Coordinates of all heavy atoms in Angstrom, one line a residue:
Chain Q
L100 N -13.5 26.4 15.6 CA -13.8 26.5 17.0 C -13.1 27.8 17.6 O -13.7 28.4 18.5 CB -13.3 25.3 17.7 CG -14.0 24.0 17.4 CD1 -13.4 22.8 18.1 CD2 -15.5 24.1 17.7
F104 N -15.7 30.1 19.5 CA -15.7 29.9 20.9 C -14.8 30.8 21.7 O -15.1 31.2 22.8 CB -15.4 28.5 21.3 CG -16.5 27.5 21.0 CD1 -16.9 27.2 19.7 CD2 -17.1 26.9 22.0 CE1 -17.9 26.4 19.5 CE2 -18.2 26.0 21.8 CZ -18.6 25.7 20.5
L108 N -15.2 33.6 25.3 CA -14.6 33.0 26.6 C -13.5 33.9 27.1 O -13.3 34.1 28.3 CB -14.2 31.6 26.3 CG -15.4 30.6 26.1 CD1 -14.8 29.2 25.8 CD2 -16.3 30.6 27.3
F112 N -13.6 35.6 30.8 CA -12.7 35.1 31.8 C -11.4 35.9 31.9 O -10.8 35.9 32.9 CB -12.5 33.6 31.7 CG -13.7 32.8 32.1 CD1 -14.5 32.2 31.1 CD2 -14.0 32.6 33.4 CE1 -15.6 31.5 31.5 CE2 -15.1 31.8 33.8 CZ -15.9 31.3 32.8
D127 N -19.7 27.4 42.9 CA -20.6 26.2 42.9 C -21.2 26.0 41.5 O -21.3 24.9 40.9 CB -21.7 26.3 43.9 CG -21.1 26.2 45.3 OD1 -19.9 25.8 45.4 OD2 -21.8 26.6 46.3
G128 N -21.7 27.1 40.9 CA -22.4 27.0 39.6 C -21.4 26.6 38.5 O -21.7 25.8 37.7
L129 N -20.2 27.2 38.6 CA -19.2 26.9 37.6 C -18.7 25.4 37.7 O -18.5 24.8 36.7 CB -18.0 27.8 37.8 CG -17.3 28.4 36.5 CD1 -18.3 28.9 35.5 CD2 -16.3 29.4 36.9
L130 N -18.6 25.0 38.9 CA -18.3 23.6 39.1 C -19.3 22.6 38.6 O -19.0 21.6 37.9 CB -18.0 23.3 40.6 CG -17.5 21.9 40.9 CD1 -16.1 21.6 40.3 CD2 -17.3 21.7 42.4
A131 N -20.6 23.0 38.8 CA -21.7 22.2 38.3 C -21.7 22.1 36.8 O -21.9 21.1 36.2 CB -23.0 22.7 38.8
L132 N -21.3 23.3 36.2 CA -21.2 23.3 34.7 C -20.1 22.5 34.2 O -20.2 21.7 33.2 CB -21.0 24.8 34.3 CG -20.8 25.1 32.8 CD1 -22.1 24.8 32.0 CD2 -20.4 26.5 32.6
L133 N -19.0 22.5 34.9 CA -17.8 21.8 34.6 C -18.0 20.3 34.7 O -17.3 19.5 34.1 CB -16.6 22.2 35.4 CG -15.2 22.0 35.0 CD1 -15.0 22.5 33.6 CD2 -14.2 22.6 35.9
R134 N -18.9 19.9 35.6 CA -19.1 18.5 35.9 C -20.0 17.8 34.8 O -20.0 16.6 34.7 CB -19.9 18.3 37.2 CG -19.0 18.1 38.4 CD -19.8 17.9 39.6 NE -19.0 17.8 40.8 CZ -19.4 18.2 42.0 NH1 -20.7 18.7 42.1 NH2 -18.7 18.1 43.0
H135 N -20.7 18.6 34.1 CA -21.6 18.1 33.1 C -20.9 17.3 32.0 O -19.9 17.8 31.5 CB -22.5 19.2 32.5 CG -23.7 18.7 31.8 ND1 -23.6 18.2 30.5 CD2 -25.0 18.7 32.1 CE1 -24.8 17.8 30.1 NE2 -25.7 18.2 31.1
P136 N -21.3 16.1 31.7 CA -20.6 15.3 30.7 C -20.4 16.0 29.4 O -19.3 15.9 28.8 CB -21.5 14.1 30.5 CG -22.3 14.0 31.7 CD -22.5 15.4 32.3
L137 N -21.4 16.8 29.0 CA -21.2 17.5 27.7 C -20.1 18.6 27.8 O -19.4 18.8 26.8 CB -22.5 18.2 27.3 CG -23.6 17.3 26.7 CD1 -24.9 18.1 26.3 CD2 -23.1 16.6 25.4
T138 N -20.0 19.2 28.9 CA -18.9 20.2 29.1 C -17.6 19.5 29.1 O -16.6 20.1 28.5 CB -19.1 21.0 30.4 OG1 -20.5 21.3 30.6 CG2 -18.2 22.2 30.5
V139 N -17.5 18.4 29.7 CA -16.2 17.7 29.8 C -15.8 17.3 28.4 O -14.6 17.6 27.9 CB -16.3 16.4 30.7 CG1 -15.0 15.6 30.6 CG2 -16.6 16.8 32.1
I140 N -16.7 16.7 27.6 CA -16.4 16.2 26.3 C -16.1 17.4 25.4 O -15.1 17.5 24.6 CB -17.5 15.4 25.7 CG1 -17.7 14.1 26.5 CG2 -17.3 15.1 24.2 CD1 -19.0 13.3 26.2
G141 N -17.0 18.4 25.5 CA -16.8 19.6 24.7 C -15.5 20.3 24.9 O -14.7 20.7 24.0
A142 N -15.1 20.5 26.2 CA -13.9 21.2 26.6 C -12.7 20.4 26.1 O -11.7 21.0 25.7 CB -13.8 21.4 28.1
F143 N -12.8 19.0 26.2 CA -11.6 18.2 25.8 C -11.4 18.4 24.3 O -10.3 18.7 23.9 CB -11.9 16.8 26.1 CG -10.8 15.9 25.5 CD1 -9.5 15.9 26.1 CD2 -11.0 15.1 24.4 CE1 -8.5 15.2 25.6 CE2 -10.0 14.3 23.9 CZ -8.7 14.3 24.5
F144 N -12.4 18.3 23.5 CA -12.2 18.4 22.0 C -11.9 19.9 21.7 O -11.2 20.1 20.7 CB -13.5 17.9 21.3 CG -13.4 16.4 21.2 CD1 -14.3 15.6 22.0 CD2 -12.5 15.7 20.4 CE1 -14.3 14.3 22.0 CE2 -12.5 14.4 20.3 CZ -13.3 13.6 21.1
L145 N -12.4 20.8 22.4 CA -12.0 22.2 22.2 C -10.5 22.4 22.4 O -9.8 22.9 21.5 CB -12.8 23.2 23.1 CG -12.5 24.7 23.0 CD1 -13.1 25.2 21.6 CD2 -13.1 25.5 24.1
C146 N -10.0 21.9 23.5 CA -8.6 22.0 23.8 C -7.8 21.3 22.7 O -6.8 21.8 22.2 CB -8.2 21.5 25.1 SG -8.9 22.5 26.5
L147 N -8.2 20.1 22.4 CA -7.4 19.2 21.4 C -7.3 19.9 20.1 O -6.3 20.1 19.5 CB -8.1 17.9 21.3 CG -7.6 16.9 20.2 CD1 -6.4 16.2 20.7 CD2 -8.6 15.9 19.7
A189 N -5.0 18.2 29.2 CA -6.4 18.6 29.3 C -7.3 17.5 29.7 O -8.2 17.7 30.5 CB -6.8 19.2 27.9
G190 N -7.1 16.3 29.1 CA -7.9 15.2 29.4 C -7.8 14.8 30.8 O -8.8 14.5 31.5
L192 N -6.9 16.8 33.4 CA -7.5 17.8 34.2 C -9.1 17.7 34.2 O -9.7 17.9 35.2 CB -7.2 19.2 33.8 CG -5.7 19.7 34.2 CD1 -5.5 21.1 33.6 CD2 -5.5 19.7 35.7
L193 N -9.6 17.3 33.1 CA -11.1 17.2 33.0 C -11.5 15.9 33.6 O -12.7 15.8 34.1 CB -11.5 17.3 31.5 CG -11.4 18.7 30.9 CD1 -11.4 18.6 29.4 CD2 -12.6 19.5 31.4
W194 N -10.7 14.9 33.6 CA -11.0 13.6 34.2 C -11.1 13.7 35.7 O -11.9 13.1 36.4 CB -9.9 12.6 33.8 CG -10.2 11.2 34.2 CD1 -9.7 10.5 35.2 CD2 -11.2 10.3 33.6 NE1 -10.2 9.2 35.3 CE2 -11.1 9.1 34.3 CE3 -12.0 10.4 32.4 CZ2 -11.9 8.0 33.9 CZ3 -12.8 9.3 32.1 CH2 -12.8 8.1 32.8
V196 N -11.9 16.3 37.6 CA -12.9 17.2 38.1 C -13.7 16.5 39.2 O -14.3 15.4 38.8 CB -13.8 17.8 37.0 CG1 -14.9 18.6 37.6 CG2 -12.9 18.8 36.1
P197 N -13.8 17.0 40.4 CA -14.5 16.2 41.5 C -16.0 16.1 41.1 O -16.6 17.0 40.5 CB -14.3 17.0 42.7 CG -14.0 18.4 42.3 CD -13.3 18.2 40.9
Chain A
L267 N -7.4 28.5 29.9 CA -8.6 27.8 30.2 C -8.3 26.6 31.1 O -9.1 26.3 32.0 CB -9.2 27.3 28.9 CG -10.5 26.5 28.9 CD1 -11.7 27.4 29.4 CD2 -10.9 25.9 27.6
L268 N -7.2 25.9 30.9 CA -6.9 24.7 31.7 C -6.5 25.2 33.1 O -6.9 24.5 34.1 CB -5.7 23.9 31.1 CG -6.0 23.2 29.8 CD1 -4.8 22.5 29.2 CD2 -7.2 22.2 30.0
L270 N -7.9 27.7 34.6 CA -9.2 28.0 35.2 C -9.9 26.7 35.6 O -10.5 26.6 36.7 CB -10.1 28.7 34.1 CG -11.6 28.9 34.5 CD1 -11.8 29.8 35.6 CD2 -12.4 29.4 33.3
I271 N -9.9 25.7 34.7 CA -10.5 24.4 35.0 C -9.9 23.8 36.2 O -10.6 23.3 37.1 CB -10.4 23.5 33.8 CG1 -11.4 24.0 32.6 CG2 -10.8 22.0 34.1 CD1 -11.2 23.3 31.3
V274 N -11.1 25.7 39.4 CA -12.5 25.5 39.7 C -12.6 24.1 40.3 O -13.3 23.9 41.3 CB -13.4 25.6 38.5 CG1 -14.8 25.1 38.8 CG2 -13.4 27.1 38.0
S275 N -11.9 23.1 39.8 CA -12.1 21.7 40.3 C -11.4 21.6 41.7 O -11.7 20.7 42.4 CB -11.6 20.7 39.3 OG -10.3 20.9 39.0
F347 N -24.8 32.2 23.3 CA -25.1 30.9 24.0 C -24.0 30.7 25.1 O -24.4 30.4 26.3 CB -25.1 29.8 23.0 CG -25.2 28.4 23.7 CD1 -26.4 28.0 24.3 CD2 -24.1 27.6 23.7 CE1 -26.4 26.8 25.0 CE2 -24.2 26.3 24.4 CZ -25.3 26.0 25.0
L348 N -22.8 30.9 24.8 CA -21.7 30.6 25.8 C -21.8 31.6 26.9 O -21.6 31.3 28.1 CB -20.3 30.7 25.1 CG -19.9 29.5 24.2 CD1 -18.6 29.7 23.6 CD2 -19.9 28.2 25.0
W350 N -24.5 33.1 27.9 CA -25.7 32.7 28.7 C -25.3 31.6 29.6 O -25.6 31.6 30.8 CB -26.8 32.3 27.8 CG -28.0 31.7 28.5 CD1 -29.0 32.4 29.1 CD2 -28.2 30.3 28.6 NE1 -29.8 31.4 29.6 CE2 -29.4 30.2 29.3 CE3 -27.6 29.2 28.1 CZ2 -30.0 28.9 29.6 CZ3 -28.1 27.9 28.4 CH2 -29.3 27.8 29.2
L351 N -24.6 30.6 29.1 CA -24.2 29.4 29.8 C -23.4 29.8 31.1 O -23.6 29.2 32.2 CB -23.4 28.5 28.9 CG -23.4 27.0 29.2 CD1 -24.8 26.4 29.1 CD2 -22.5 26.3 28.2
V352 N -22.4 30.7 30.9 CA -21.5 31.1 32.0 C -22.2 32.0 32.9 O -22.1 31.9 34.2 CB -20.2 31.7 31.4 CG1 -19.4 32.3 32.5 CG2 -19.4 30.6 30.7
R355 N -24.9 31.0 35.7 CA -24.5 30.0 36.8 C -24.7 30.7 38.2 O -24.5 31.9 38.3 CB -23.0 29.7 36.7 CG -22.7 28.8 35.5 CD -23.5 27.5 35.5 NE -24.4 27.5 34.3 CZ -25.3 26.5 34.1 NH1 -25.5 25.6 35.0 NH2 -26.0 26.6 33.0

Side-chain angles (χ1 to χ4, degrees):
Chain Q
L100 293 180
F104 284 67
L108 291 176
F112 287 102
D127 292 345
L129 219 48
L130 185 60
L132 178 66
L133 199 55
R134 267 184 187 149
H135 196 283
L137 282 180
T138 317
V139 173
I140 294 167
F143 175 71
F144 282 104
L145 181 69
C146 289
L147 174 81
L192 284 181
L193 287 162
W194 187 257
V196 169
Chain A
L267 182 68
L268 291 178
L270 169 70
I271 288 171
V274 170
S275 57
F347 172 72
L348 287 177
W350 170 81
L351 206 60
V352 169
R355 291 301 118 189

